Amino acid sequence: MKTDVVVLAGGVTDCPGGPIPTADLKFAHGVANWSLRDLVTTELRRVPEVGKIVLVGKGQPKSHLYTWVRRRGSFAANLRRGLASTTTPAVLVVGVDLPFIKTTAVTQFLEEALKTGADLCYGIVSAGKSDELYPSWPKTVCQLKEGSF
């Protein structure tokens, strides 16, 4: 069964030259600099279980990888706009700021989340593992009774 994906790409990041849309940030990927939008949607497209990819954000980039929905209003309004463009019973929602997203991680998360039958599943990674894998990447850490995530 396929799962559609909504990629929320409406944020802005402060950079030395001034604020730019987070989706337009460039990362070295092999020999080329790719935007976060391209990195995330390309990796998601490699996941066999992923159906339609809906990208909600600024501008109007065109790509065969996703369906574009223009960002308008609040976070909740944009999430609703993205969800309205999906067609599957289950939907994966991700932010565009995931430059290290991997096909295997998405596949595993979808398998585990769908098995639960829950209405909502949220993936978290321990702060220690995140620091180990991506030491220089800024993170938001939350303290739970099971540890820091």
Side-chain angles (χ1 to χ4, degrees):
M1 174 173 43
K2 298 285 187 180
T3 300
D4 288 350
V5 179
V6 173
V7 180
L8 297 172
V12 175
T13 299
D14 289 324
C15 293
I20 65 168
T22 303
D24 293 336
L25 287 176
K26 302 284 186 188
F27 283 83
H29 185 73
V31 295
N33 285 331
W34 287 32
S35 70
L36 278 172
R37 174 181 40 251
D38 293 339
L39 278 169
V40 170
T41 55
T42 297
E43 199 66 24
L44 287 168
R45 184 50 54 218
R46 292 178 179 147
V47 178
E49 296 83 5
V50 166
K52 182 178 183 181
I53 298 173
V54 178
L55 196 133
V56 182
K58 292 178 150 190
Q60 195 162 359
K62 302 217 185 294
S63 174
H64 65 283
L65 296 173
Y66 52 81
T67 300
W68 181 258
V69 174
R70 182 176 294 280
R71 177 188 88 134
R72 288 193 189 109
S74 68
F75 173 85
N78 287 308
L79 177 58
R80 282 192 297 275
R81 291 169 57 76
L83 291 171
S85 297
T86 63
T87 57
T88 56
V91 177
L92 175 65
V93 178
V94 299
V96 76
D97 56 346
L98 298 170
F100 308 111
I101 192 170
K102 296 293 176 215
T103 303
T104 53
V106 174
T107 299
Q108 182 181 3
F109 179 80
L110 287 174
E111 286 174 3
E112 295 299 319
L114 291 171
K115 274 195 256 181
T116 69
D119 290 333
L120 176 69
C121 294
Y122 186 83
I124 58 174
V125 177
S126 72
K129 186 65 168 178
S130 182
D131 285 338
E132 175 188 322
L133 294 171
Y134 314 109
S136 62
W137 192 255
K139 304 160 192 65
T140 301
V141 176
C142 181
Q143 182 65 43
L144 302 175
K145 68 179 182 179
E146 295 88 353
S148 295
F149 297 89

